[in-house]
Each structure stands twice: as C-alpha cells, then as structure tokens.
Amino acid sequence: MNQRKSLKELNLLDKFLFDEAMDDQENVKTMLDIIFLNTRGKHPELVSPELIELLKYMERSTDEVSGECKSKRIQEMHRRVCQIKASEKTEVKYMQTWEEQIMIRQEGITEGRIEGEKIGRLRGKRELLEKLSDKFSIEQISEMLEIDISELKNIMKEIQNEKYL
C-alpha cells in the first residue's frame, strides 16, 4: 500500500496538492503561461530557464527550491501553495480523501472475494453436474471433489431450486 505523505511533504506532482493548487485560477494561469512538460527532460538548452525552474519546483515544492528560483511567478505560486499546505481545512480534506481511498480499496477487495466465491460455487456446481451426468455415485463425487457428502447434498438442493426459479 502507498505510504501516505503528510500534507507538508506533498509536491505538485502529488494529485491531491495539484488539484488543490489548480483550484486557484492564478496558479492555473501561471502554469499555463510557463507550459507544463515532462519533468525529466534531457536537453535543458532547448527549454526556457523559467520552465526548468517550474519543473524542478513541481518535483520538490519546497522553500529551498523556491528560493533558488529567479522567476517571481514561481515564487508567488509557492507562496499560494504554502497557504494551501498551511490550511487546516485542506489538511482535513486530505485526511478524508486518504481515508476514502482506503475504504474504496477495502470495498473492492471484499467485492472481489465475494465475486470469486460465486465463481467458485458455479464451477463447483458445474463440475458436480458433469460428474452426475457421468453416472458417478454421490460417494464417488464426494471423494473426487473432496467435498463432504452433506455439503454435496446441499449443493444438489441448491441446483434443484435454481432449476425451478
């Protein structure tokens, strides 16, 4: 499972902080003005220094990186990002989002297990029907499928009831 960062440790490559920062129209304008590109470029000579600073800042949205930036726009964006990170409301929202993701993941695991059990039962029923059609006795089928005879009888009743539904 992913390790949760504290809100203060997030950078603009983290979805939550990026989404929060993009709620600020000035941040959106700043980024679009500079242009958002891949942060792992190999030819810095082909790119403006401000864009390189922005990309470094996006990877590490810290006071140190911001302080090294000559761009006033990036420094202003950093000031607004710091306001977001310092907001108690944002911290609560971040914690709730994290908890919701955990709950969604757990629900998915539970649903997967239930679906797997259903598929397993269907395969078991299909296998049982095949054995019955091959004229094996209940005892032989019980031994072949490694299922207790009483459980086998219950499955047979289920199959019978399904035929009438």
Side-chain angles (χ1 to χ4, degrees):
M1 192 184 295
N2 294 342
Q3 189 73 20
R4 184 181 71 85
K5 296 178 183 178
S6 73
L7 182 62
K8 303 272 187 261
E9 295 172 319
L10 296 179
N11 60 47
L12 287 175
L13 295 179
D14 293 303
K15 183 179 177 350
F16 181 84
L17 183 60
F18 184 83
D19 289 349
E20 287 297 307
M22 291 302 99
D23 281 345
D24 181 338
Q25 290 301 311
E26 284 301 309
N27 281 344
V28 173
K29 184 181 180 321
T30 300
M31 279 210 213
L32 290 175
D33 285 349
I34 298 172
I35 302 174
F36 182 82
L37 293 176
N38 186 327
T39 61
R40 305 279 183 215
K42 302 228 187 305
H43 300 285
E45 68 280 0
L46 301 174
V47 182
S48 77
E50 187 177 38
L51 176 58
I52 292 170
E53 286 182 344
L54 172 66
L55 298 175
K56 284 181 183 175
Y57 176 73
M58 291 196 67
E59 282 190 331
R60 291 189 50 239
S61 308
T62 62
D63 291 336
E64 294 79 31
V65 173
S66 170
E68 294 169 6
C69 292
K70 294 180 179 109
S71 169
K72 296 294 178 207
R73 295 190 298 179
I74 294 172
Q75 291 173 0
E76 175 59 23
M77 183 168 45
H78 178 66
R79 186 186 65 72
R80 289 192 300 264
V81 166
C82 287
Q83 286 175 338
I84 291 168
K85 287 182 175 183
S87 164
E88 277 187 42
K89 180 179 162 188
T90 304
E91 178 76 32
V92 168
K93 186 175 175 183
Y94 178 55
M95 293 297 293
Q96 287 172 336
T97 301
W98 184 260
E99 289 168 0
E100 286 170 8
Q101 287 175 347
I102 290 171
M103 287 171 50
I104 289 167
R105 193 175 298 120
Q106 288 170 340
E107 287 171 7
I109 290 168
T110 301
E111 286 176 18
R113 284 189 181 132
I114 290 169
E115 194 61 32
E117 288 171 5
K118 284 180 187 175
I119 290 169
R121 280 195 302 273
L122 284 174
R123 284 188 182 142
K125 288 176 183 178
R126 207 173 290 126
E127 206 172 331
L128 174 60
L129 287 171
E130 287 171 11
K131 301 291 184 207
L132 285 170
S133 68
D134 289 341
K135 307 290 187 226
F136 288 105
S137 71
I138 291 179
E139 291 79 15
Q140 289 171 318
I141 296 171
S142 171
E143 196 172 305
M144 282 186 257
L145 299 179
E146 298 177 357
I147 298 174
D148 185 58
I149 291 177
S150 62
E151 189 176 336
L152 200 53
K153 288 179 180 178
N154 288 337
I155 294 170
M156 290 172 71
K157 284 180 188 173
E158 266 183 53
I159 294 170
Q160 196 100 38
N161 290 337
E162 288 172 8
K163 284 182 182 178
Y164 293 113
L165 292 179

Short mmCIF file of all heavy atoms in Angstrom, two decimals, residues 49-50 53-54 65-75:
data_model
loop_
_atom_site.label_atom_id
_atom_site.label_comp_id
_atom_site.label_asym_id
_atom_site.label_seq_id
_atom_site.Cartn_x
_atom_site.Cartn_y
_atom_site.Cartn_z
N PRO A 49 14.71 28.86 -19.10
CA PRO A 49 15.14 28.67 -17.70
C PRO A 49 13.94 28.66 -16.74
O PRO A 49 13.94 27.93 -15.76
CB PRO A 49 16.05 29.86 -17.43
CG PRO A 49 16.52 30.31 -18.78
CD PRO A 49 15.41 29.97 -19.73
N GLU A 50 12.91 29.47 -17.02
CA GLU A 50 11.75 29.51 -16.14
C GLU A 50 11.02 28.17 -16.14
O GLU A 50 10.58 27.69 -15.10
CB GLU A 50 10.80 30.63 -16.56
CG GLU A 50 9.65 30.80 -15.57
CD GLU A 50 8.72 31.95 -15.93
OE1 GLU A 50 8.46 32.17 -17.13
OE2 GLU A 50 8.25 32.61 -14.99
N GLU A 53 12.97 25.78 -14.01
CA GLU A 53 12.71 26.08 -12.60
C GLU A 53 11.35 25.54 -12.17
O GLU A 53 11.21 24.97 -11.09
CB GLU A 53 12.79 27.59 -12.35
CG GLU A 53 14.18 28.16 -12.36
CD GLU A 53 14.22 29.65 -12.06
OE1 GLU A 53 13.16 30.33 -12.13
OE2 GLU A 53 15.31 30.15 -11.76
N LEU A 54 10.33 25.74 -13.02
CA LEU A 54 8.99 25.26 -12.69
C LEU A 54 8.99 23.74 -12.53
O LEU A 54 8.41 23.21 -11.58
CB LEU A 54 7.98 25.66 -13.77
CG LEU A 54 6.58 25.04 -13.61
CD1 LEU A 54 5.90 25.57 -12.35
CD2 LEU A 54 5.73 25.30 -14.84
N VAL A 65 13.85 25.02 -2.90
CA VAL A 65 13.77 25.04 -4.36
C VAL A 65 13.17 26.37 -4.82
O VAL A 65 13.66 26.99 -5.76
CB VAL A 65 12.97 23.84 -4.90
CG1 VAL A 65 12.74 23.96 -6.40
CG2 VAL A 65 13.68 22.53 -4.58
N SER A 66 12.14 26.82 -4.14
CA SER A 66 11.51 28.10 -4.50
C SER A 66 12.52 29.24 -4.34
O SER A 66 12.56 30.14 -5.18
CB SER A 66 10.30 28.34 -3.60
OG SER A 66 9.83 29.65 -3.76
N GLY A 67 13.32 29.19 -3.28
CA GLY A 67 14.31 30.24 -3.04
C GLY A 67 15.37 30.30 -4.13
O GLY A 67 15.93 31.37 -4.41
N GLU A 68 15.66 29.17 -4.75
CA GLU A 68 16.64 29.12 -5.84
C GLU A 68 16.06 29.64 -7.16
O GLU A 68 16.81 29.95 -8.08
CB GLU A 68 17.14 27.69 -6.05
CG GLU A 68 17.94 27.14 -4.88
CD GLU A 68 18.20 25.64 -4.99
OE1 GLU A 68 17.85 25.04 -6.04
OE2 GLU A 68 18.75 25.07 -4.04
N CYS A 69 14.73 29.72 -7.24
CA CYS A 69 14.08 30.16 -8.48
C CYS A 69 14.20 31.67 -8.65
O CYS A 69 13.96 32.43 -7.72
CB CYS A 69 12.60 29.78 -8.47
SG CYS A 69 12.30 28.01 -8.56
N LYS A 70 14.56 32.08 -9.86
CA LYS A 70 14.63 33.51 -10.17
C LYS A 70 13.26 34.04 -10.58
O LYS A 70 13.01 35.23 -10.49
CB LYS A 70 15.65 33.73 -11.29
CG LYS A 70 17.07 33.40 -10.87
CD LYS A 70 18.05 33.63 -12.00
CE LYS A 70 19.45 33.30 -11.52
NZ LYS A 70 19.98 32.10 -12.09
N SER A 71 12.38 33.14 -11.01
CA SER A 71 11.06 33.54 -11.50
C SER A 71 10.17 34.02 -10.36
O SER A 71 9.91 33.29 -9.40
CB SER A 71 10.40 32.35 -12.20
OG SER A 71 9.04 32.63 -12.45
N LYS A 72 9.69 35.24 -10.48
CA LYS A 72 8.77 35.80 -9.48
C LYS A 72 7.44 35.05 -9.52
O LYS A 72 6.78 34.89 -8.51
CB LYS A 72 8.53 37.30 -9.74
CG LYS A 72 9.78 38.14 -9.58
CD LYS A 72 10.25 38.12 -8.14
CE LYS A 72 11.52 38.91 -7.99
NZ LYS A 72 12.34 38.45 -6.89
N ARG A 73 7.05 34.58 -10.71
CA ARG A 73 5.79 33.84 -10.82
C ARG A 73 5.85 32.53 -10.04
O ARG A 73 4.88 32.16 -9.38
CB ARG A 73 5.44 33.59 -12.29
CG ARG A 73 5.17 34.88 -13.04
CD ARG A 73 4.59 34.66 -14.39
NE ARG A 73 5.49 33.92 -15.28
CZ ARG A 73 5.18 33.61 -16.52
NH1 ARG A 73 4.01 33.94 -17.02
NH2 ARG A 73 6.02 32.95 -17.29
N ILE A 74 6.96 31.85 -10.10
CA ILE A 74 7.09 30.59 -9.35
C ILE A 74 7.11 30.89 -7.86
O ILE A 74 6.50 30.17 -7.07
CB ILE A 74 8.34 29.80 -9.80
CG1 ILE A 74 8.16 29.34 -11.25
CG2 ILE A 74 8.59 28.61 -8.87
CD1 ILE A 74 9.39 28.71 -11.87
N GLN A 75 7.80 31.95 -7.46
CA GLN A 75 7.82 32.31 -6.04
C GLN A 75 6.43 32.68 -5.54
O GLN A 75 6.04 32.32 -4.43
CB GLN A 75 8.82 33.44 -5.81
CG GLN A 75 10.25 32.96 -6.00
CD GLN A 75 11.27 34.09 -5.94
OE1 GLN A 75 10.93 35.25 -5.74
NE2 GLN A 75 12.53 33.72 -6.09
#
